[in-house]
């Protein structure tokens, strides 16, 4: 992946205080500590699944406080802005909301899994100010335009924008009727902007994916990258599993299409690559069903930033 940085020469490279902060960021928990945390999350979710009876609320609260504030989770959660106690309180608040809204327990279990696994992202990037609005995303000097990079041939992955207006949505529906499996069934990106480091990492993954699957492989498809907090809340209102804080809202997360890959029997290769990168500590990975969420670690972002600004030679 040493040549990936040169694919970004057509885009701008962030500079200034935040760039220096990324290059000197604390990498956080070690690979072994991250593995321990993920195992602890799996164990906690198994315990919570057993507390669905009439006295489940009391047992759930006790299990959350015991496990979330325990030693196995400390290396990750102590690095989040609110610490383990804040994570525990958010979980209990969400459980209460699900119960009062009478939503399926499966939705709650899935949300808790995503929320707890996403705390790795928060430990890495929770110190950054998020993009609050659409304008914050579209005018951020830290992000590059995917459309511009695509025009310059600097993208090795695929994405599509959300259609604009009634005409655009009608054309998208017609396309799906004629070619139902030509592209993933996704609304498309609301904000086609990304950090250069995220683009560089995806370009490298696309090369690895092609090598693993051969010439007949489908293109690596990215459903979402940078988002605003405003849009994150909108998605939750539509029923998507979303959490805050989110690494999407600081530009270091991306969602990769997985369901569509199954049509080509390419999902296994993509999953193996993602797990390899996670095991190396390069990224955090969360299975969210149709998409798999990926977040760059500070160490990976710093390395890719250095490669992007290094002179070719």
């Amino acid at each position: 992946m040493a040549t990936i940085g040169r694919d970004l020469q057509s885009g701008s490279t962030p500079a200034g205080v935040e760039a220096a902060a990324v290059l000197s960021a604390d990498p956080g928990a070690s690979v072994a500590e991250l593995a321990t945390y993920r195992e602890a999350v799996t164990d906690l979710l198994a315990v919570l699944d057993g507390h669905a009876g009439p006295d489940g609320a009391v047992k759930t609260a006790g299990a959350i406080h015991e496990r979330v504030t325990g030693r196995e989770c400390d290396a990750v959660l102590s690095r989040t802005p609110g610490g383990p106690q804040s994570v525990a309180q958010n979980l209990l608040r969400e459980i209460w909301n699900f119960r009062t809204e009478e939503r399926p327990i499966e939705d709650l279990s899935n949300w808790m899994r995503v929320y707890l696994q996403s705390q790795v992202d928060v430990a890495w990037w929770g110190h950054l100010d998020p993009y609050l609005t659409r304008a914050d995303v579209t005018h951020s000097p830290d992000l590059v335009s995917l459309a511009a990079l695509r025009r310059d041939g600097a993208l090795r992955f695929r994405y599509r924008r959300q259609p604009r207006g009634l005409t655009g949505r009608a054309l998208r529906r017609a396309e799906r009727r004629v070619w139902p499996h030509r592209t993933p069934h996704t609304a498309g990106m609301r904000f086609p902007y990304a950090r250069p480091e995220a683009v560089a990492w995806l370009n490298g993954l696309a090369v690895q994916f092609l090598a693993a699957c051969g010439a007949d492989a489908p293109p690596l498809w990215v459903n979402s990258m940078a988002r605003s907090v405003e849009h994150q809340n909108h998605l939750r209102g539509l029923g998507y599993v979303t959490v805050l804080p989110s690494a999407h809202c600081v530009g270091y997360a991306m969602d990769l299409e997985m369901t569509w890959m199954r049509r080509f029997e390419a999902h296994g290769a993509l999953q193996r690559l993602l797990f390899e990168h996670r095991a190396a500590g390069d990224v955090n990975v969360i299975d969210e069903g149709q998409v798999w969420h990926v977040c760059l670690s500070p160490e990976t972002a710093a390395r890719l930033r250095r490669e992007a600004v290094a002179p070719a030679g």
Side-chain angles (χ1 to χ4, degrees):
M1 292 169 60
T3 63
I4 296 172
R6 292 194 285 275
D7 293 335
L8 300 178
Q9 294 306 309
S10 58
S12 62
T13 299
V17 175
E18 186 173 309
V22 171
L23 287 171
S24 61
D26 176 6
S30 68
V31 170
E33 288 170 330
L34 290 173
T36 297
Y37 174 75
R38 293 184 178 110
E39 290 175 3
V41 167
T42 299
D43 292 343
L44 172 58
L45 292 173
V47 169
L48 296 182
D49 283 343
H51 295 339
D55 58 347
V58 174
K59 291 182 178 179
T60 293
I64 287 175
H65 277 289
E66 177 184 356
R67 301 298 182 94
V68 168
T69 60
R71 178 177 53 83
E72 293 83 359
C73 294
D74 188 66
V76 171
L77 299 186
S78 64
R79 289 179 164 91
T80 62
Q85 292 292 344
S86 177
V87 172
Q89 290 169 8
N90 287 337
L91 279 172
L92 292 172
R93 185 184 308 114
E94 198 64 29
I95 290 170
W96 172 256
N97 289 339
F98 267 82
R99 287 174 184 261
T100 57
E101 295 168 6
E102 297 183 351
R103 297 171 67 181
I105 190 65
E106 293 81 7
D107 289 355
L108 174 59
S109 296
N110 194 36
W111 184 89
M112 287 194 297
R113 178 180 60 81
V114 172
Y115 177 77
L116 286 167
Q117 291 176 349
S118 72
Q119 295 310 300
V120 174
D121 301 9
V122 178
W124 285 341
W125 302 113
H127 62 287
L128 297 182
D129 292 331
Y131 311 121
L132 298 177
T133 66
R134 178 188 184 92
D136 290 337
V137 176
T138 58
H139 296 113
S140 172
D142 303 317
L143 304 177
V144 293
S145 165
L146 295 180
L149 291 174
R150 183 161 60 183
R151 285 194 300 270
D152 291 341
L155 295 186
R156 297 181 181 177
F157 58 89
R158 294 276 301 279
Y159 78 95
R160 72 188 314 176
R161 291 197 64 167
Q162 278 190 15
R164 296 180 178 178
L166 294 175
T167 301
R169 289 192 287 271
L171 289 173
R172 183 66 58 83
R173 286 194 297 270
E175 178 189 41
R176 286 179 177 169
R177 284 195 298 269
V178 177
W179 298 295
H181 306 298
R182 183 183 183 184
T183 59
H185 286 192
T186 175
M189 280 194 197
R190 181 75 171 268
F191 306 112
Y193 297 89
R195 287 189 183 263
E197 306 96 298
V199 174
W201 189 83
L202 284 169
N203 279 343
L205 181 66
V207 172
Q208 295 173 337
F209 181 57
L210 179 62
C213 295
D216 295 331
L220 183 70
W221 196 284
V222 183
N223 287 0
S224 180
M225 296 190 75
R227 296 180 194 154
S228 65
V229 172
E230 186 178 72
H231 187 56
Q232 189 81 345
N233 284 325
H234 172 69
L235 291 174
R236 173 150 192 178
L238 294 176
Y240 291 93
V241 177
T242 59
V243 300
L244 284 172
S246 169
H248 281 289
C249 300
V250 293
Y252 284 108
M254 57 214 85
D255 289 342
L256 307 187
E257 173 67 31
M258 194 63 72
T259 296
W260 186 64
M261 292 294 175
R262 295 180 185 277
R263 293 192 53 81
F264 307 93
E265 298 184 353
H267 61 292
L270 181 55
Q271 290 171 7
R272 283 193 296 274
L273 286 171
L274 293 177
F275 283 139
E276 287 172 6
H277 281 284
R278 188 182 74 173
D282 298 338
V283 295
N284 189 33
V285 177
I286 304 174
D287 176 359
E288 295 185 357
Q290 179 181 348
V291 301
W292 279 32
H293 168 99
V294 179
C295 175
L296 298 186
S297 72
E299 204 168 83
T300 299
R303 172 176 58 80
L304 291 171
R305 187 184 293 271
R306 288 192 296 268
E307 291 174 358
V309 300

